[in-house]
Amino acid sequence: MPERDPYVPPTGNVFFPLASNAHSLVTGSPVGGVRSRLKVSSLLYEKVFLEAGSTRIQAGPQGASWWRHGHDPDRPAEWQTPRGRKVGRSAPISVAIAQKTAPGVPATGPFHEVLHSETSICWLPTLEPFVHELPSSCDWIVLGHPGDLADEFKRLEDLWKRRDDANGALARLVPEHIVRSRLVDSASHDLAVGASGGWDVSVDRFHGRVIGARFAGDATIQTHGLALPVLVPRVGDLDWADIARIRKLKAIERLRAVLREVEAEAFDVARSGGDLESAMHKAYTHKVADASGKVHRLRSASAMGVAELVVGAGAGYATTGLALLGPVAGAGVTAVVMTGWHARRIVRERRQRAWIGIMDAIAAATP
């Protein structure tokens, strides 16, 4: 993945890291949820970056281990199965070391065990199988590795790692201290990677809850990507061919900007005690009315109806994209600041109704 100069605003790209999606990268409905987020992100972002390779994440009461494995074209990566995850938990975590006798020659022993623990989690996440599902026209999803973190982002990551001990909400969510620390370390690193590249970061629901508990009250972490699945609950079931077609429509960028506006307005309501999903519907309906100029003969009649669809899995997509705004744009930044530029842009552009047609196309293509 290309490295970016630090301290730049998000550029419409999203990053799917391995560690912060590890809980859901197991066969069955969990991996199906990741696939749905990939499809939603494909509509909401210009580029979708997937972390290549695979990792092995183990943690228990007495210790934790984390190993990275690179991409191997001769051994296609496979998702972990529920049975494999159960078997992994049944075996202890064991790490042993031995002194090398010569440079470049693997140690032969004697080995000394430095870590032994029961296993509470054993995750083997990989995103690579998704690549084999994609059509040749899917050039917006990129598999690779992010660059090394600059020093300022390493310091930010270390700062985040040191704050979890006194967090009661996080302790209730993940009672085991070492397991909790392993999860916080992963989330902190992945968010720092996103900040360094100017990317939003997409994580699974479990890590979203960890991040939510860890960063409760921290206005520098903002959620993006919730509006579209709330308004069109089955958007994650779209075919890849339909997604490729919709991405080519000219007004897709304007729609993305409008949805960010909807989210910002709805979160303002939610912070005051209102219902987030209801506020999302209301804000979207107002956007449609404003864009149409309240013309009675609105050609896209279904655009108004989209906002009245029953909310399905909307809450499950709350972590489609997490944006780190504080270190990127300055302390105290909120979503309103970031979306204000989008609002001015929409006002300046002609054919303000064009994004409604994109929303119609998305709604019409959903199963």
Side-chain angles (χ1 to χ4, degrees), residues 27-42:
T27 55
S29 59
V31 82
V34 182
R35 181 183 293 108
S36 293
R37 274 192 289 123
L38 272 174
K39 292 182 176 181
V40 172
S41 295
S42 294

Side-chain angles (χ1 to χ4, degrees), residues 114-340:
V114 295
L115 169 62
H116 186 90
S117 174
E118 295 179 354
T119 303
S120 300
I121 61 170
C122 180
W123 299 337
L124 309 176
T126 180
L127 291 158
E128 295 194 0
F130 285 120
V131 177
H132 304 299
E133 301 178 2
L134 305 176
S136 58
S137 60
C138 183
D139 59 355
W140 64 88
I141 296 182
V142 180
L143 184 71
H145 294 288
D148 293 334
L149 286 176
D151 289 342
E152 57 264 47
F153 293 106
K154 290 180 180 178
R155 289 192 292 270
L156 184 64
E157 176 188 353
D158 291 339
L159 177 65
W160 285 338
K161 290 179 181 180
R162 295 195 296 268
R163 289 183 179 176
D164 67 313
D165 288 340
N167 188 320
L170 189 57
R172 288 190 294 273
L173 179 62
V174 188
E176 290 186 27
H177 172 70
I178 293 178
V179 176
R180 183 168 69 250
S181 294
R182 176 66 264 169
L183 296 178
V184 169
D185 286 359
S186 296
S188 298
H189 177 75
D190 291 340
L191 286 175
V193 168
S196 69
W199 309 321
D200 283 5
V201 180
S202 186
V203 306
D204 63 33
R205 189 181 302 191
F206 179 75
H207 282 84
R209 293 171 64 198
V210 170
I211 292 171
R214 170 61 185 77
F215 292 95
D218 187 340
T220 65
I221 304 295
Q222 299 292 338
T223 301
H224 295 309
L226 177 59
L228 183 58
V230 166
L231 299 173
V232 189
R234 300 194 64 181
V235 67
D237 295 334
L238 284 173
D239 291 334
W240 284 111
D242 287 326
I243 291 173
R245 175 179 57 82
I246 292 168
R247 281 178 55 91
K248 293 179 180 179
L249 299 177
K250 291 182 179 180
I252 187 70
E253 290 187 12
R254 285 194 287 276
L255 174 62
R256 292 167 181 163
V258 168
L259 292 176
R260 290 288 178 105
E261 286 287 314
V262 168
E263 289 169 357
E265 294 176 20
F267 280 119
D268 281 344
V269 173
R271 280 191 288 270
S272 301
D275 181 73
L276 177 63
E277 292 175 350
S278 297
M280 203 85 71
H281 284 268
K282 185 176 181 180
Y284 176 76
T285 302
H286 286 167
K287 293 290 183 184
V288 173
D290 289 343
S292 65
K294 298 182 175 62
V295 176
H296 294 295
R297 295 179 62 187
L298 179 64
R299 288 181 299 172
S300 293
S302 63
M304 293 297 290
V306 170
E308 302 305 322
L309 288 175
V310 175
V311 175
Y317 291 91
T319 50
T320 295
L322 295 170
L324 179 68
L325 302 182
V328 176
V333 173
T334 65
V336 175
V337 176
M338 295 300 293
T339 56

Side-chain angles (χ1 to χ4, degrees), residues 1 15 50-52 142-146:
M1 298 179 194
F15 173 49
L50 306 183
E51 186 173 3
V142 180
L143 184 71
H145 294 288

